[in-house]
Amino acid sequence: VQLQASGGGLVQAGGSLRLSCAASGRTFSSYAMGWFRQAPGKEREFVSAISWSGGSTYYADSVKGRFTISRDNAKNTVYLQMNNLKPEDTAVYYCAVGEAPTWRRRSYDYWGQGTLVTVSS
């Protein structure tokens, strides 16, 4: 399976970005998807996850109310809409495929290459 993340960039605090993750090589609609991020010098952390149907979504407390995860199984793509961005959201964002929409990093089998989000103050 291959995952291609895109949509990162430089944005001012309070701004918005939408990340996309396109999947190929697997029955995308059968699997959960997750977004993680890694800031310089820090561990990779959970951001959000979505079930195979899109009916269940999960968020880290730090992004709840600002980020929205969604998926389009017809396009094999998962999205992360990020609003009201803060400098502390600056990180490389990774998408991943797994059996269940969990915060546990080791539960995900495949990872994308990451896309950099930089939020200036």
Side-chain angles (χ1 to χ4, degrees), residues 30-48:
S30 299
Y31 295 91
M33 298 292 294
W35 285 99
F36 289 74
R37 67 186 182 187
Q38 187 167 18
K42 294 189 176 181
E43 295 278 325
R44 191 172 299 189
E45 65 175 6
F46 171 75
V47 174
S48 183

Side-chain angles (χ1 to χ4, degrees), residues 28-33 50-57 69-73 99 101:
F28 176 79
S29 60
S30 299
Y31 295 91
M33 298 292 294
I50 188 167
S51 62
W52 67 271
S53 67
S56 296
T57 57
I69 191 171
S70 62
R71 66 189 296 162
D72 184 341
N73 287 340
E99 295 289 334

